[in-house]
Amino acid sequence: QDRLVESGGGSVQAGGSLSLTCQSRSYVRVHCMGWFRQAPGKEREGIATVDHDGRTTYTDSVKDRFTVSKDNTKNTLNLQMNSLQAEDSAIYYCAIGGGSCRPLQQDFTTWGRGTQVTVAA
């Protein structure tokens, strides 16, 4: 059974919104957790993290459009995505990490399988 399972992906028009959820088998409250994405032909990039104190970090390309949060009662990591653009199209992954809890791939050790987000221009 997978430790992290993402859901909520789909297709949307540019300017629209989607909400992603990552169901964790672990207590999300104690972990640094993050969202990453990988577009075709590109490397996986970190876009948002939230640490055990609830502090969040965003990459510049999604700041002010995306919001990451944890639901400690449901053990989920969430990503609200607004004002979506074609360049946001990618497979989105959630992950558990550590260290400084910055959106750096090397600091994250447990990964979900991903969910596809497609934004039509």
Side-chain angles (χ1 to χ4, degrees), residues 48-84:
T49 61
V50 52
D51 70 10
H52 61 279
D53 285 331
R55 289 180 294 236
T56 57
T57 303
Y58 298 93
T59 194
D60 287 345
S61 63
V62 307
K63 200 174 295 183
D64 299 326
R65 298 190 298 125
F66 291 10
T67 302
V68 61
S69 62
K70 292 179 183 176
D71 185 329
N72 295 330
T73 62
K74 297 180 180 178
N75 282 326
T76 60
L77 176 71
N78 307 303
L79 186 68
Q80 177 64 42
M81 305 185 294
N82 299 326
S83 301
L84 284 162

Side-chain angles (χ1 to χ4, degrees), residues 8-115:
S11 297
V12 65
Q13 294 290 320
S17 298
L18 281 174
S19 181
L20 304 184
T21 299
C22 174
Q23 181 68 58
S24 173
R25 295 178 62 197
S26 304
Y27 291 112
V28 299
R29 178 179 57 82
V30 301
H31 289 298
C32 162
M33 299 192 71
W35 285 100
F36 293 73
R37 67 185 180 186
Q38 187 168 19
K42 295 187 178 181
E43 294 187 356
R44 184 157 22 182
E45 63 167 338
I47 57 172
T49 61
V50 52
D51 70 10
H52 61 279
D53 285 331
R55 289 180 294 236
T56 57
T57 303
Y58 298 93
T59 194
D60 287 345
S61 63
V62 307
K63 200 174 295 183
D64 299 326
R65 298 190 298 125
F66 291 10
T67 302
V68 61
S69 62
K70 292 179 183 176
D71 185 329
N72 295 330
T73 62
K74 297 180 180 178
N75 282 326
T76 60
L77 176 71
N78 307 303
L79 186 68
Q80 177 64 42
M81 305 185 294
N82 299 326
S83 301
L84 284 162
Q85 304 163 3
E87 49 265 39
D88 295 316
S89 296
I91 298 174
Y92 283 69
Y93 301 88
C94 71
I96 296 174
S100 62
C101 205
R102 295 172 298 166
L104 300 175
Q105 199 169 187
Q106 60 264 32
D107 289 344
F108 287 76
T109 56
T110 302
W111 296 83
R113 294 177 183 268
T115 185

